Structures are given as structure tokens and as C-alpha cells.
Amino acid sequence: MPSDVLSFSPRITCLPVIHGSGDFALAVRRLMLEQTFDCVAVPLPPSFQADVERGIELLPSPTIVTQPETPEFQTDWSPENDDAEGDTDLEGADENEEPTHSFVPIDPCQPVIAALRAAASEHIARAFIDLETSHFVPNTAVLPDAFALKKVAPQQFVTAVLPAIERPREKQVKGRIVHMAAQLRRLEERYKSILFVCSILDWPWIREAYLERQDPIADDEPTEETSLYQPEHRTLLFLLSELPFITGLYERARAELEDDENLSIDGVKELLLTARQDYQTDLKRRARKITPHLLRQCLKYIRNLTLFERRFTPDLYTIVTAAKQTAGDQYALHVAEAAREYPSVEDLDLPPLSLGIDRGRLPDGEIVRLISRLPGPPLIWRGLQLQKRPDRRERDQWRMRWNPYSQCSWPPEDKLIEDFRAHVFDRARAVMGADLARTEPFTTSFLDGIDIRDTLRHWYEEKLYVKVLPPSRGKLDCVVMLFDSPADPRDYPWRTTWYAEHKDESTLAFFATDFSKELVGPGIALASYGGALFLYPPFAIPDVWHDRALDFTETLEERLLAAACRYSACSHIALVSVAPPGAGWRRLAQKYRKKWIHLPLSQFSDATIQQLRMVHVLNGREVRSYAAEFIRKA
């Protein structure tokens, strides 16, 4: 790295970084491997050194070092308003003022922590040279994406950003800059080669103060003692600069000596694959097929949203939004849950700290405001509507309140599957009419369109042939949909017949999974169809599953097919299944003088089929008023 760009002197090399950037953490490590240093200086005050280095020893388990800020009082005293008793009025001492702690995240993807970690492992001296302040004022700004370091050197990156860096205005920030410059001058008297890792926003002004040998303008203030905590695992998202999942990948690559140069992007791909595995394990047969093509569309969506926001690397909101739009709410929920999982967490026997947005709950229950000593670019928190998964305690309560004598369906799902039933009827009628299609030479009308095949076949006649599709003969009043065939009876214990509530609904007989095993809300359960029989227009039939006339059947599918043949008034029955009907099913239809019109399940969208298979059972019609608040899309 050229010394004339980032060097303060022959003994001091400065590496300006963006706090909270994994790419800059890699740049720090790369520089320390390329050059030899006997001291590493960081922009943290000496009061943090003991606990920060103790936390670094506990990596890869993340920790946090906090320091309470001293309560601030402002006096408004003058000889004119002094009373006889000499009391002084204190204004600004609000007893309800929220307590504030400054903190240092022991995060593997923080460049400063990466430098200290590498120095400790190589037994290099560490110097904490920042000013001791009782009230820390962070210095932040919107900065370019550090992913550019994949193509440009650090010195090129920081010099390109230099024209946009404003001179600090806060008095404390100015005092800290001059103090650190003075500390660097003292360090170079003891060490021959010093690496100084600082914020890119402070770099030009520290260099200026160093070269001009400015005198310190602020003194160290009295501060409180620091404390080391272990953040709760579920709140690591508010501590780690990169996504916890991607931070875990960095740590895995470090432990296994793998290549981690492109993890900021490759980690997103692995996140989507891990979420797909969790999604399929959780939903099993009900899960939508997350194909490589769908993942490609999701990644393309992520890329476009990221570029739209003028960034190179996506944030969590962008990733989850793209997953939701391409693969549904359930998959997006698994992506969000996988993103916050950090694998390398051990019980460190430290006090726990629960984190939130700029807030933390101490072990004694006190809520404090948190200010980072290593502030990265400002964050924008955005909301995304995803229904959370209920915990075990909530499900147990809902199960105890369930009334087994009251059940009904959810109307939006009824309309969805009835529309699909009508669509299947139309497709089946088209298949029935296709058997009667013919072609004839063109005379005066194109009829149903040109038949290209017969026209080419009779090209020597120099005539056009057109299609003639006569109206389909016969009607349809029944469709059987077999989503899982052959079906294991142990997987589908719920078998029932539902009757239409109004003229637009079918008489429905089906077998499905046990809805009592998956409660998604108060009085709301979820099951998955294995197969279903629809009779439209609706009319009353005996319960298919207790009809003795159908006891000759052996499987769940055969019972539905036999019921369709027995109660359908038409000679044709639409059958939607993966495979065409075999000899046994054809003999069953012949017994009742029926004929199957088979439509392969593969002809329909997989996303549509997975959505159709979901059936929510409501514990009474009154539940319909709030069911939409708890029901998630597939």
C-alpha cells in the first residue's frame, strides 16, 4: 500500500475504515498480513481497554462493553437571583431523563475489533488513544458501499470519498481528533511501526492535527466503570453490523481457513438456501417448491431493489421483501428468521443484555439508551408485514379453548378453490371437445384458426387447412383433485364432508392433515388437503367417509373416486392428479358407466397448487371477523 497516501509519518500508517463493514474488516486483516507493525492504535478511550480485550478473547461469541454516562446538570445561577438561603436552582436535571450508556460491540465484522483481534493473536501492542468523555457524541454520515473494495484499493476508496467529508462541527469531536493526534505523536516515540485504524470521517482531520502539531483543546473527563455483557441471542441483529447469519459465515471461514472475500454477496445466496431447507422441513408437503429458477428470480429482484437504493449489497429489508414477492410470506418469514441466527454462541457466564433499536434492557430490568462508540452509517428501520409464528405457550392456550363442536371454513379460501374448480371444469370441457376436432380446406372462413400441421402436410395442394372445434358434448358436475397420491392414511387422519353454505359453493368431501396439530391463531387452525371431491351445483349427499356403499374401496383416493362416480349425474368426471388413472381406476369408472377426463397436476402452477392445499379451519363463524390478522399466505 503506498505510504504517501495513508501515512502520517514514516512510523505511522493510517487505515480509514467504515465502522461496521465486513469488507473493511477484511481490508484490515489483509494489511496486517502484508506489513509488519509493533503497535495497533484504535479510536477508543483507555477505560474500555480491559473489557474490550476480554470480550475479544471470548470471540466468536459476541459480547458488548457498556459505560454509563454521567448525569448532566445545568445550573442557572447568578448573584441577582440568589435567595437569602443561598440555594441554587438546578434546571435541566430531569428525574425522568432516560439513562444513557455508550458501548463497544465486540463484533467480528467491526474493523477496529478485527485489528485488535489480529494484534492480540500476534502479541502486538494495543493502544486505546481516544479522549475519555462522560457524554459521547457520535460522528456519522451516509457513506458509499464498502463492497467497492472488491475492485479498488483502500487508498483509492478513501481518497475518492475525501471531497465529501465535512469538517466536524461538534466541539467534542474536534477535541477528540486533536487528542488522538497528540497521542499518536507520543506513540511514535516508543514504536517504530504503528497501524492506526480510525473512522473515515475523522481521518483527514486527525492527519491535519498531527501534521500541524495542534495542542490538545480538551482534557479527559471522569467516567464510570465499564461492564461486559452477553447479548441475548435473539437480539444479536441489533448489535452486529452485518447480518448475524453472514457474520457466522465469516467466523466459519476464519475457523476453517476458507475463502471469505465475497461473503457479503455469496452469504446472501447461502442464506436463501438455508431458509429454503428450513422452510421445506417446517411445511413438508405443504411447502412451495423453491426451484433454482425461483431463487434466480429472487436474487435478481434483490439486485434490482439494491441498485434502486444506490447500494451494492442488500440489507435485510431488501432480502426479505424480495423473498416475499417471489416465494410467498412463509418463505420470507423463514428467510428473516435464518438471517438473525448466529451459530457460534456459547454460554459465557456473563450478565445478559437484551437489545433493541438504540435501547437495551440491563439484567436488573432497567431500560437504557445505547450509543455506539464505533458508529457506522445511519440506519433506516422499515416495517414489513409478516405474520409472526406463534410460540408454544400461545398454541397451548388456543388448543384448550377450542370448541370441538363448531367448525367452519374461511371464505377467501373457499372462493379461491371454487374459482380453481371452475377453471378445471373449463379445461376439462376443452379436452372433451378436442377429441372431436377436425381440419378441413379453407373456403370462406378461418373458423377456429389455421392448422399449420395439416397445411404443411398438404403443401403440394397449395391449400390452407383450418381447424374446426365443435362445441363439447356433455356436461360436468364433478371434479376430483388428488394432490398427494398415493396418500398415506397416517398423514391424513382428518376426513370429512362439508356442505355448501350458498349457491356458489360446492359440496366438498376431502381428506387432510390433522388441523388440531397446527394452530395459527385463537380459534384458527391449519390443515393441508391430500385430496378433495367437488360436486357443483351443490346437493346433499351422505358423508362419503361413513357411506357403507363405498366400503369396498381400500385407499383414500379410491373412496373419493368411487363417491364421485356414485353421486355424479354426468357421464364425465374431471380428475386432477399427478399420474393418469390406472387400470383399477378405469375399471371403477366403468362399473358406474363413467369416464375420467384427466388433467395432469403439472399443468397448473406449483405456487397455485400449494396455496390451494392450505385449508384454515375456524372455530365458529364469529372467528371470520379477525381471521385475516393471523392467516399467512403460503
Side-chain angles (χ1 to χ4, degrees), residues 519-561:
L519 297 177
V520 298
I524 308 170
L526 175 63
S528 181
Y529 286 122
L533 159 68
F534 297 83
L535 290 170
Y536 185 84
F539 60 92
I541 62 172
D543 186 357
V544 168
W545 307 101
H546 296 90
D547 190 351
R548 293 185 177 180
L550 305 176
D551 286 346
F552 67 91
T553 58
E554 297 181 355
T555 65
L556 300 176
E557 301 97 308
E558 287 180 358
R559 198 171 189 93
L560 280 185
L561 295 172

Side-chain angles (χ1 to χ4, degrees), residues 100 109 146 282 307 407 427 518:
T100 302
C109 289
D282 183 23
L307 294 177
Q407 294 178 11
R427 295 281 291 271
E518 188 169 359

Side-chain angles (χ1 to χ4, degrees), residues 215-484:
D215 295 328
I217 59 176
D219 296 328
D220 288 332
E221 299 174 358
T223 58
E224 302 286 339
E225 293 184 358
T226 60
S227 300
L228 182 63
Y229 296 101
Q230 180 173 18
E232 291 187 3
H233 181 256
R234 293 179 59 85
T235 64
L236 283 176
L237 183 66
F238 302 100
L239 175 73
L240 302 178
S241 51
E242 302 284 354
L243 294 178
F245 181 86
I246 293 180
T247 305
L249 295 182
Y250 276 110
E251 284 301 289
R252 186 185 70 183
R254 183 179 188 274
E256 299 179 2
L257 301 179
E258 297 177 351
D259 181 22
D260 55 2
E261 289 295 326
N262 295 306
L263 277 183
S264 55
I265 297 300
D266 291 343
V268 176
K269 301 176 184 178
E270 188 160 348
L271 170 62
L272 297 178
L273 294 175
T274 301
R276 179 180 68 172
Q277 183 177 358
D278 296 341
Y279 167 72
Q280 293 173 341
T281 302
D282 183 23
L283 299 185
K284 300 180 176 64
R285 292 185 178 89
R286 198 172 69 249
R288 184 184 303 184
K289 292 182 180 179
I290 310 297
T291 61
H293 176 72
L294 192 61
L295 288 176
R296 181 181 179 183
Q297 293 299 111
C298 183
L299 288 169
K300 185 177 180 180
Y301 202 144
I302 292 173
R303 180 203 64 187
N304 292 343
L305 287 178
T306 304
L307 294 177
F308 183 77
E309 295 179 356
R310 301 179 181 180
R311 304 288 294 176
F312 288 134
T313 53
D315 57 7
L316 180 60
Y317 176 84
T318 299
I319 296 172
V320 176
T321 299
K324 177 181 179 180
Q325 297 298 329
T326 55
D329 282 25
Q330 291 277 17
Y331 178 64
L333 182 63
H334 283 80
V335 170
E337 291 178 344
R340 70 180 187 182
E341 288 297 321
Y342 182 79
S344 303
V345 175
E346 300 177 358
D347 187 5
L348 302 177
D349 196 24
L350 292 175
L353 179 66
S354 181
L355 298 171
I357 301 177
D358 299 330
R359 297 293 185 275
R361 181 186 290 110
L362 299 177
D364 59 3
E366 182 183 18
I367 304 297
V368 298
R369 181 168 172 259
L370 295 176
I371 300 177
S372 177
R373 291 268 180 172
L374 302 175
L379 297 177
I380 299 177
W381 294 94
R382 294 174 285 184
L384 182 64
Q385 186 64 33
L386 286 177
Q387 188 67 40
K388 74 179 185 69
R389 185 181 292 106
D391 57 31
R392 182 177 179 181
R393 180 179 56 83
E394 290 177 324
R395 289 181 176 178
D396 290 341
Q397 291 178 352
W398 297 337
R399 189 173 291 108
M400 292 176 62
R401 297 174 184 172
W402 188 274
N403 179 7
Y405 301 104
S406 179
Q407 294 178 11
C408 67
S409 60
W410 192 44
E413 284 181 349
D414 295 342
K415 183 178 185 305
L416 184 65
I417 202 163
E418 289 295 337
D419 290 345
F420 184 72
R421 185 264 311 156
H423 177 62
V424 170
F425 275 2
D426 293 340
R427 295 281 291 271
R429 291 191 187 100
V431 173
M432 292 167 60
D435 294 339
L436 303 175
R438 69 178 191 275
T439 60
E440 62 182 35
F442 168 76
T443 54
T444 60
S445 171
F446 283 106
L447 298 177
D448 293 303
I450 298 176
D451 191 321
I452 300 298
R453 179 179 297 177
D454 271 13
T455 298
L456 294 176
R457 188 179 298 163
H458 298 84
W459 188 254
Y460 60 90
E461 297 179 4
E462 298 183 354
K463 294 181 180 179
L464 292 177
Y465 279 75
V466 295
K467 299 177 183 177
V468 181
L469 303 176
S472 60
R473 297 178 181 178
K475 298 181 179 180
L476 288 173
D477 67 349
C478 181
V479 58
V480 179
M481 303 180 191
L482 300 178
F483 302 109
D484 185 12

